[in-house]
Amino acid sequence: MNAPREAFVLCSQPGGLHRVHYYEWGDPANPRVLLCVHGVTRNGLDFRYLAEALSADYRVVSVDVAGRGLSDWLPEASLYAVPQYVADLVTVIARLGVERVDWLGTSMGGLIGMALASLPGNPIARLMLNDVGPLISAVSINRIAEYIGKEPVFPDLAAAEAHIRRVSTPFGALSDAQWRDFTLSSVRPHPQGGFVMRYDPKLAESFQALVGGNDIPLWPLYEQIHCPTLVIRGAESDLLSRETVQHMQACGPRAEAAEIAGVGHAPMFHDAAQIGVVQHFLQHTPVPV
């Protein structure tokens, strides 16, 4: 695969600054920009297969959200929240030098996209929500809380890959090479040897506060979105139900919907069929004037 370009942008937080890292594929002068934003413990390289496939037609930018990948960690756990992420991504978009972007967000990345798309004068032309919607299930929160921030130091890459395969089983049928790719992008060397996950363990604190609670409704936010919207559901998802998708089709932006068989939370756009869902929406959905 072709190596992406990489850059950092300086963002602000209360009392300080931090760097947000992003990857970029395709012609940097292309005004058609697809901005990809990952899930809560993931990073920008999750979209590498999709980006390669679309790079002839799009300038694809994939961000490491603060606290993940190569981006800086934030000083306080309370800063790991959607308002901070929205501010960071607005800064990234400003750095790209474009007025509008298409947005593809997986899980947390979709929540950030919904929050931004609900604001007046926002820069999102078309919104794609990957296995997330305006109702977050307590079941999925509890599942993620079981492992986030609790991973050990892995003695070697084989141990790290075994762990990632186990907790990421809902990603579906990935090849051995793809599992190795995801492993290599998900861990970093530990100073005392071995490997640890490439995210700030403080991320776990917000999840622990939600364990055992109820589903989280965000319908008023969704009702404020007016751009063309696509919701993509993994057929075996425990985060996004078919009932929620049906409701999303009937209110707010009245999202188009697609379901991917054999996948839970969440589709990773690692094969032609999954990538085709995104391509079809981008090619056949006109951008509002």
Side-chain angles (χ1 to χ4, degrees), residues 23-187:
Y23 301 93
E24 187 173 355
W25 293 259
D27 182 355
N30 191 340
R32 294 190 295 179
V33 175
L34 174 62
L35 185 61
C36 301
V37 188
H38 58 77
V40 66
T41 64
R42 301 300 310 164
N43 61 74
L45 285 176
D46 281 4
F47 296 97
R48 77 196 84 182
Y49 299 100
L50 176 80
E52 285 277 344
L54 299 184
S55 60
D57 298 314
Y58 282 84
R59 178 185 178 191
V60 183
V61 176
S62 186
V63 177
D64 288 338
V65 176
R68 292 88 166 169
L70 299 179
S71 292
D72 288 345
W73 293 5
L74 300 180
E76 302 293 337
S78 61
L79 294 175
Y80 290 123
V82 168
Q84 180 66 58
Y85 301 149
V86 168
D88 288 356
L89 269 295
V90 168
T91 301
V92 170
I93 293 170
R95 166 65 68 87
L96 298 177
V98 294
E99 294 186 2
R100 307 184 83 185
V101 298
D102 294 320
W103 184 292
L104 171 60
T106 295
S107 194
M108 177 192 73
L111 296 178
I112 301 168
M114 282 197 294
L116 180 54
S118 72
L119 299 176
N122 74 82
I124 298 180
R126 292 174 291 196
L127 176 65
M128 290 170 283
L129 304 173
N130 182 30
D131 212 64
V132 69
L135 187 66
I136 310 302
S137 76
V139 171
S140 65
I141 292 171
N142 294 341
R143 176 177 61 79
I144 295 170
E146 289 178 357
Y147 66 84
I148 183 171
K150 300 176 183 178
E151 293 92 346
V153 176
F154 304 109
D156 51 38
L157 285 173
E161 182 175 335
H163 169 81
I164 289 169
R165 283 179 180 248
R166 183 172 64 255
V167 302
S168 303
T169 297
F171 289 175
L174 277 62
S175 69
D176 289 343
Q178 288 169 336
W179 279 119
R180 176 51 61 98
D181 281 347
F182 283 125
T183 299
L184 291 173
S185 65
S186 299
V187 300

